[in-house]
Amino acid sequence: MERHTLISKPGDGEQRLDRFVSDRLELSRSRVQKLLAQGRVTLDGRQARKSQVVSVGSVVEVEVPEAEMVDIVAENLPIKVVHEDKDLLVVDKEAGMVVHPAPGHRSGTLVNALLWHCPDIEGVGGRARPGIVHRLDRDTSGLLMVAKNDVSHLALSDAIRARRVKRFYLAAAWGHLADSAILVDAPIGRDPRDRKRMAVLEDGKESTTRFEVHERWLRADLLRVALKTGRTHQIRVHLEHLGHPVVGDATYGLGWERGLGGPTRRWVDEFARRIKRQFLHAAELRFSHPVTREEMSFESPLPADLAIIAEWARSE
């Protein structure tokens, strides 16, 4: 059982209780409404209703029981382990693999593969997401930490919250950034028009990303990206916010390239044709070992599908 105390700040404004909890805890609105119906949410010490309004200074207490899921089955799936010791693993995830089971993805996930590779992680950090301390989107490739025991899980989770884990990505974005380095400090929350998307919102959670131009191509930039915070879809949302969405991003950049006309139109069309998934790769990971405190550093080159496209882009 997870227990959360949420205090409404001046920037939150007045809003319905179910939306407030949904945005703060990144839970679906339907999940929050079930918690309310079960009496697991209080507003200023009293059992709450979803239609109640949260005002500045209101205190919301939420009990979130562990998600009930079918047993997760260990599966002998190929995964690339780049480091392993008795406390943790570092995995180089392929694009297309979901990190943990969820509705619609009960098998074939990284967690299914990890349970086969390392059965001892079962139950570490919870039944639903054993060993997982941070995630990558399904179509994002690259480096991911996995805890092998509860001590490591707690320490790594704390390190992420305290921003002591350094994560760097490579991303291709349409068009050209105005400057060679840009810091985006724009809060992110659940898009009120589409709950499957995230968006830059005035009342969203603090979100900071640094973008540096690594290579300039004809009508796109290859960027080195440093995450200061770790919100859902953060890089993709911030690049859309800048007007330079990730190449191949079907959620935040679909059809954006159609606005890039002129004499380079053929290059743009060919680049869009060649890309089969979002051009986003978790390339570097730096952190202190949760037990020994040794400084750990890992790098992952662009996988073959993105490396081939990058080579074409820089040669044209």
Side-chain angles (χ1 to χ4, degrees):
M1 179 76 69
E2 295 180 357
R3 291 177 172 83
H4 303 271
T5 300
L6 312 176
I7 301 175
S8 180
K9 300 173 294 186
D12 292 328
E14 291 195 348
Q15 55 183 306
R16 274 174 52 126
L17 177 61
D18 56 347
R19 179 181 173 185
F20 174 78
V21 175
S22 175
D23 289 345
R24 281 291 191 92
L25 299 183
E26 295 187 359
L27 297 172
S28 69
R29 190 78 68 90
S30 61
R31 180 84 190 280
V32 173
Q33 290 173 356
K34 287 181 181 178
L35 295 176
L36 282 157
Q38 294 167 356
R40 297 185 184 276
V41 183
T42 63
L43 176 60
D44 294 328
R46 297 183 178 183
Q47 190 167 328
R49 302 184 308 276
K50 65 181 181 181
S51 59
Q52 285 185 271
V53 174
V54 178
S55 302
V56 175
S58 292
V59 178
V60 180
E61 300 276 352
V62 186
E63 290 184 346
V64 183
E66 183 177 322
E68 290 297 325
M69 297 187 63
V70 298
D71 289 338
I72 304 174
V73 178
E75 297 180 65
N76 187 8
L77 304 171
I79 54 172
K80 184 178 180 181
V81 177
V82 298
H83 172 82
E84 182 173 8
D85 58 42
K86 66 182 181 65
D87 298 300
L88 65 89
L89 303 99
V90 176
V91 176
D92 198 342
K93 186 185 85 70
E94 291 186 356
M97 176 175 270
V98 175
V99 170
H100 56 77
H105 299 286
R106 295 297 190 190
S107 64
T109 73
L110 179 62
V111 163
N112 294 106
L114 288 169
L115 285 171
W116 182 279
H117 177 84
C118 181
D120 290 345
I121 72 166
E122 184 172 7
V124 172
R127 288 178 56 244
R129 303 174 184 181
I132 302 301
V133 293
H134 65 123
R135 291 174 286 173
L136 295 176
D137 297 335
R138 176 179 182 173
D139 288 328
T140 299
S141 52
L143 298 170
L144 195 71
M145 299 182 298
V146 179
K148 293 177 69 174
N149 53 58
D150 287 322
V151 171
S152 295
H153 190 277
L154 180 62
L156 291 173
S157 298
D158 285 347
I160 288 175
R161 280 192 291 270
R163 304 180 187 178
R164 296 194 301 270
V165 176
K166 307 302 180 185
R167 290 173 283 175
F168 301 92
Y169 292 70
L170 290 173
W174 287 115
H176 297 305
L177 267 62
D179 298 302
S180 59
I182 293 178
L183 182 69
V184 178
D185 186 358
I188 290 175
R190 190 74 57 181
D191 190 333
R193 298 166 299 179
D194 183 349
R195 305 300 294 176
K196 295 181 180 179
R197 289 168 47 99
M198 308 300 287
V200 169
L201 301 172
E202 186 176 339
D203 59 351
K205 292 183 178 180
E206 177 192 4
S207 307
T208 309
T209 316
R210 181 175 177 80
F211 299 98
E212 294 182 2
V213 177
H214 189 62
E215 296 180 20
R216 285 204 186 275
W217 299 335
L218 191 60
R219 294 306 302 272
D221 285 339
L222 180 64
L223 306 174
R224 186 174 187 267
V225 185
L227 281 182
K228 305 297 183 182
T229 54
R231 308 304 178 202
T232 301
H233 300 175
Q234 179 173 316
I235 294 171
R236 300 160 64 193
V237 171
H238 275 172
L239 282 173
E240 181 199 36
H241 180 65
L242 287 176
H244 298 283
V246 173
V247 175
D249 190 335
T251 300
Y252 299 99
L254 185 63
W256 193 91
E257 71 276 5
R258 287 194 287 268
L260 295 173
T264 58
R265 181 73 213 191
R266 289 180 60 186
W267 186 93
V268 171
D269 288 343
E270 180 62 16
F271 194 19
R273 186 190 68 80
R274 287 172 176 261
I275 192 76
K276 304 303 180 185
R277 52 108 168 177
Q278 61 200 28
F279 198 121
L280 185 57
H281 178 67
E284 298 178 49
L285 190 58
R286 302 174 190 168
F287 59 94
S288 295
H289 191 281
V291 176
T292 68
R293 313 313 302 167
E294 176 188 358
E295 291 301 315
M296 315 288 285
S297 180
F298 302 94
E299 295 186 13
S300 170
L302 283 176
D305 64 330
L306 300 185
I308 291 170
I309 292 170
E311 185 58 35
W312 174 85
R314 65 173 62 100
S315 67
E316 292 293 314

